[in-house]
Amino acid sequence: MRFDLITLFPEFFHSPLQSGLIAKAIAKGLAEVHCTNPRDFTCDRHHKVDDEPYGGGAGMVLKPEPLAAALESLPVVTPRQVIYLSPQGEPMTQALFQDLATSVEQLVLVCGHYEGIDERVMTWIDREISLGDFVLTCGEIPALALLNGVLRLRPGTIGKEESHRCDSFSDGLLDYPHYTRPAEFRGLKVPEVLLSGNHGAIAAWRRQQQLERTRDRRPDLYQAWQAQQSDLDSH
Ligand SMILES: CN(C)c1cccc(CNc2ccc(C(N)=O)cn2)c1
């Protein structure tokens, strides 16, 4: 899978792409990541990439020419999606990551800054996606999150396929609590059932934990899950 990051700050991505499972996936050739800086596509003496908004108002807007030139400079690998990260986009979810991980071979991620990009650049954009309902100084952080979440789902990135199965959001419920050695830590014990070796009881306890935690912490997810359950029951 090829990721093209359109960013004014390519150095932002250096360290995150050199550590952890993402670095291993890149080293294994599961993905290649390229950064393209719109500033390299400016023609004026000052390498201007932003300008004041027409119609007035605070902040700056990214100019269309450097962005469009940067986008047009990229190799095209199909199937591809050109994604713009902004607070106005569709929210990132595990389902969205699953969709992207299985449907494209190239992801172009356009990282906005300031107040955003000139609307005419949307001609080159297929999809607008948001990390959540908040504003950051840059689109690089959401782009890194999306790259991470999508690459993680590609076969081979995280060893045991098993670890996808229990993703918090893959079955619509939050995850159950996890424990590891020692069995007692500062007087705090591991729930007996987990030490029992009774796999049926363990699975039941974990499911119960998922339901309780989702009900208590995320009533929105819990209701969606209940609705999905009644759909399943009625068929
Ligand atoms: C309208 N505006 C302020 C703006 C528009 C575009 C980009 C940026 C750069 N900042 C970002 C980018 C994405 C997200 C997100 N939620 O994904 C949050 N902040 C800001």
Side-chain angles (χ1 to χ4, degrees):
M1 185 163 193
R2 178 182 169 115
F3 292 89
D4 283 287
L5 306 168
I6 307 296
T7 173
L8 292 170
F9 304 99
E11 67 279 6
F12 175 90
F13 293 101
H14 289 170
S15 138
L17 297 178
Q18 285 172 8
S19 57
L21 288 176
I22 297 302
K24 287 192 176 68
I26 294 169
K28 281 196 268 185
L30 293 172
E32 48 184 90
V33 182
H34 301 265
C35 289
T36 301
N37 189 337
R39 201 173 293 280
D40 299 339
F41 295 84
T42 53
C43 312
D44 63 302
R45 199 156 25 110
H46 301 292
H47 304 297
K48 202 165 174 48
V49 290
D50 64 329
D51 206 338
E52 292 168 358
Y54 277 119
M60 300 290 272
V61 176
L62 287 181
K63 290 173 60 62
E65 307 100 317
L67 279 172
L71 285 165
E72 288 174 338
S73 77
L74 301 177
V76 176
V77 177
T78 52
R80 82 183 329 222
Q81 281 203 17
V82 181
I83 292 174
Y84 173 46
L85 289 306
S86 98
Q88 283 70 42
E90 62 182 286
M92 282 183 209
T93 61
Q94 192 66 17
L96 188 145
F97 287 175
Q98 290 280 5
D99 169 48
L100 291 175
T102 52
S103 63
V104 300
E105 271 314 305
Q106 178 185 26
L107 265 187
V108 180
L109 304 180
V110 179
C111 304
H113 272 260
Y114 316 117
E115 295 315 303
I117 63 175
D118 185 290
E119 191 64 14
R120 289 166 290 183
V121 178
M122 297 311 281
T123 314
W124 284 265
I125 305 288
D126 299 316
R127 206 163 173 184
E128 199 165 347
I129 291 177
S130 169
L131 181 56
D133 293 333
F134 41 78
V135 179
L136 304 167
T137 61
C138 65
E140 277 77 4
I141 294 166
L144 187 57
L146 191 140
L147 184 154
N148 183 294
V150 170
L151 186 47
R152 175 180 173 277
L153 293 173
R154 296 281 285 191
T157 300
I158 56 175
K160 291 189 289 86
E161 285 316 303
E162 152 84 7
S163 25
H164 288 330
R165 208 174 43 73
C166 310
D167 276 12
S168 293
F169 291 83
S170 55
D171 58 0
L173 294 172
L174 298 184
D175 209 0
Y176 49 77
H178 296 269
Y179 298 84
T180 186
R181 280 182 280 272
E184 181 164 343
F185 168 66
R186 306 274 174 92
L188 301 167
K189 294 182 181 340
V190 170
E192 275 305 315
V193 66
L194 296 179
L195 309 174
S196 69
N198 177 339
H199 297 291
I202 290 167
W205 179 84
R206 284 174 166 173
R207 188 65 175 178
Q208 184 54 31
Q209 289 294 314
Q210 280 188 279
L211 290 167
E212 281 176 17
R213 294 174 102 185
T214 309
R215 187 197 60 217
D216 298 345
R217 299 181 191 188
R218 292 292 302 275
D220 58 317
L221 288 179
Y222 191 67
Q223 267 158 24
W225 178 82
Q226 283 184 309
Q228 178 202 52
Q229 285 308 108
S230 60
D231 281 355
L232 290 175
D233 295 347
S234 58
H235 291 148

